[in-house]
Amino acid sequence: MINSKSESGSILWHDLIPISVNDTYGDPFIIEQVDNTIDKLQKLYNHKAPVAIFTKAPMNETVIEKLFQTVANHPKVVVYYSLTGLDEGGYSFETRVRMIHALEEVFNHVVILTRPIIRGKNDNIDNLKRIVNVASTTKSRLLVLGGLHDKYKNKHIEFSVEEMLIQLCDEVGVRTFQKTSCCAAYIFGESCWMHELNGPKNLDVAAALGYKFEVGEDRIVLDEATTGDLNFLRMLTRSKVFSQKIISNYNLLTLKTGEVKYEATSSWFAWSENIDTCLDCNYCIIKQIEYLKKMKVKIGTHPSEMVDIVRANNNGHDFSAFRLTKLRKDTTDMHEYADVRITKPCFVKRYDSFKETAISIES
């Protein structure tokens, strides 16, 4: 029998999984997708972990009104607005800034995300300054750094540019983070589920989902895994996760869930509706993923449904059929997240608590 409650004995394990909503092809706050986003956010209203929204959507009064009427002041939502200066979809920097401030009237936390900063495109000092200036005018005064994906799905940003961004932010009192998970943990005063690991826990849940593993003092070890498995199990068990073999660099989980596809990025469990309409950015990583692209595909469910879905199925996904996933040459007999992605430091401890800092700014 699964012990579905957390160590505190009162919160269900699936309510402690950090979730991103509609972060595939599409955009959670474009008119074509906002109703689906609202439906998911309403179902997550009592969720205990942070809920991330990633958007580049331009200003749309209808979208804002819908959000006001349904999910305003959602207690766990953090909106990460990707502001690049690249005018994706033909929408200007100014209309995006209008949307940022409109979203601030709906949600408690809107964070500027510089995803992506691309060498020679938008990494010049004037563009970086105007992005930081927008961050300094938001209520949260928070910014997360973000680079461009390479063929291994690692995000790259020039170190000198990264240092420059952090310095510009420090000068105007904007707090910066390398990971969206660190930023959300900081906002809510929680331990960072990417860096602050104190497990293993929820091992019965991992077993019920079909994972086979050995348990060490501060880690679990699998025979084989995808990058997505490493990510999800770190969130679930709050421990280090290793695998003897990496079978795919996709974020898709190896669970036997039939046609249902589950994903986990380094920071978030995905619950998404992949649609065929988006701003169509020319650097889009989704268009490089074989099971997504511009297809209408559902990714994930509410995590509370996962165990039942596994129990109802005896087959999973054929990872050998994927041709575009890139893996570095296998040189070790044990793999962890750092072998498949670029690790970044945690900045949660760099600042005073968010509530104390917010009070100081307001006063």
Side-chain angles (χ1 to χ4, degrees):
M1 181 177 179
I2 300 174
N3 176 13
S4 61
K5 294 184 178 180
S6 69
E7 286 186 337
S8 67
S10 60
I11 302 175
L12 300 175
W13 70 267
H14 46 74
D15 283 330
L16 294 174
I17 300 295
I19 296 177
S20 65
V21 170
N22 286 340
D23 185 28
T24 50
Y25 201 80
D27 188 290
F29 291 154
I30 58 175
I31 194 65
E32 294 87 351
Q33 195 158 27
V34 67
D35 289 338
N36 183 267
T37 300
I38 288 169
D39 179 62
K40 288 181 170 66
L41 291 183
Q42 288 176 325
K43 291 173 181 175
L44 292 168
Y45 194 84
N46 294 316
H47 200 64
K48 306 305 180 187
V51 177
I53 296 285
F54 296 93
T55 182
K56 289 186 179 78
M59 181 63 196
N60 185 304
E61 298 284 358
T62 301
V63 167
I64 293 297
E65 184 60 28
K66 282 176 176 283
L67 295 171
F68 258 124
Q69 295 297 325
T70 55
V71 291
N73 300 311
H74 191 295
K76 282 297 184 177
V77 163
V78 181
V79 176
Y80 294 95
Y81 195 98
S82 183
L83 188 63
T84 66
L86 293 170
D87 294 347
E88 294 92 341
Y91 296 101
S92 70
F93 192 87
E94 290 71 26
T95 192
R96 288 186 155 85
V97 172
R98 287 179 58 214
M99 185 62 162
I100 288 166
H101 291 306
L103 287 170
E104 284 194 295
E105 299 303 314
V106 181
F107 297 102
N108 298 317
H109 307 294
V110 178
V111 177
I112 301 302
L113 174 63
T114 63
R115 185 174 73 179
I117 296 297
I118 304 173
R119 183 177 183 179
K121 296 288 187 182
N122 62 339
D123 60 349
N124 62 82
I125 185 65
D126 289 338
N127 189 58
L128 298 181
K129 281 183 176 179
R130 67 173 179 162
I131 292 172
V132 170
N133 180 63
V134 173
S136 73
T137 66
T138 61
K139 296 176 183 178
S140 69
R141 299 173 69 88
L142 300 172
L143 180 143
V144 178
L145 308 174
L148 183 68
H149 285 95
D150 65 12
K151 64 181 180 180
Y152 299 109
K153 298 177 180 59
N154 291 319
K155 299 188 191 82
H156 287 279
I157 181 171
E158 293 286 333
F159 182 68
S160 59
V161 174
E162 189 174 276
E163 282 190 315
M164 189 187 307
L165 262 173
I166 294 172
Q167 180 180 338
L168 289 172
C169 287
D170 286 347
E171 289 173 356
V172 294
V174 170
R175 288 144 291 169
T176 56
F177 297 86
Q178 300 276 9
K179 302 283 293 183
T180 55
S181 53
C182 305
C183 183
Y186 173 71
I187 287 172
F188 293 109
E190 301 176 5
S191 60
C192 177
W193 57 92
M194 176 72 193
H195 296 97
E196 299 177 59
L197 305 174
N198 55 10
K201 59 184 70 173
N202 294 323
L203 297 179
D204 54 344
V205 179
L209 290 171
Y211 285 111
K212 294 178 173 55
F213 52 87
E214 299 291 331
V215 182
E217 182 179 350
D218 64 345
R219 67 193 59 193
I220 65 172
V221 180
L222 300 95
D223 289 336
E224 61 179 33
T226 64
T227 302
D229 290 321
L230 299 181
N231 294 332
F232 174 70
L233 286 170
R234 185 179 61 254
M235 295 177 203
L236 175 66
T237 67
R238 297 299 169 100
S239 65
K240 297 176 183 178
V241 183
F242 291 82
S243 180
Q244 301 283 352
K245 180 182 180 182
I246 301 295
I247 64 171
S248 172
N249 201 13
Y250 281 141
N251 290 325
L252 193 65
L253 307 191
T254 57
L255 303 180
K256 293 183 178 180
T257 54
E259 296 301 312
V260 181
K261 296 177 173 64
Y262 283 102
E263 273 195 349
T265 68
S266 61
S267 298
W268 307 96
F269 173 86
W271 189 12
S272 188
E273 191 116 351
N274 196 70
I275 62 175
D276 58 3
T277 303
C278 193
L279 300 182
D280 205 32
C281 307
N282 59 12
Y283 51 75
C284 180
I285 187 66
I286 302 298
K287 290 186 285 187
Q288 303 172 36
I289 299 175
E290 293 153 280
Y291 55 89
L292 292 176
K293 296 187 177 181
K294 295 184 180 183
M295 299 179 289
K296 293 185 177 181
V297 180
K298 292 183 179 181
I299 298 294
T301 63
H302 192 289
S304 63
E305 300 176 32
M306 293 179 74
V307 172
D308 288 340
I309 289 174
V310 168
R311 285 173 174 167
N313 290 278
N314 56 15
N315 64 293
H317 309 292
D318 180 11
F319 285 88
S320 66
F322 298 136
R323 302 301 179 192
L324 299 182
T325 182
K326 300 291 185 181
L327 289 167
R328 290 187 175 85
K329 187 177 180 180
D330 190 349
T331 58
T332 67
D333 58 359
M334 193 69 68
H335 303 273
E336 60 178 328
Y337 175 82
D339 297 320
V340 291
R341 295 286 192 269
I342 295 174
T343 58
K344 291 291 185 179
C346 188
F347 279 12
V348 171
K349 305 298 185 184
R350 193 169 184 244
Y351 308 103
D352 295 330
S353 75
F354 178 74
K355 289 182 180 179
E356 290 175 357
T357 310
I359 292 171
S360 173
I361 291 172
E362 289 176 3
S363 61

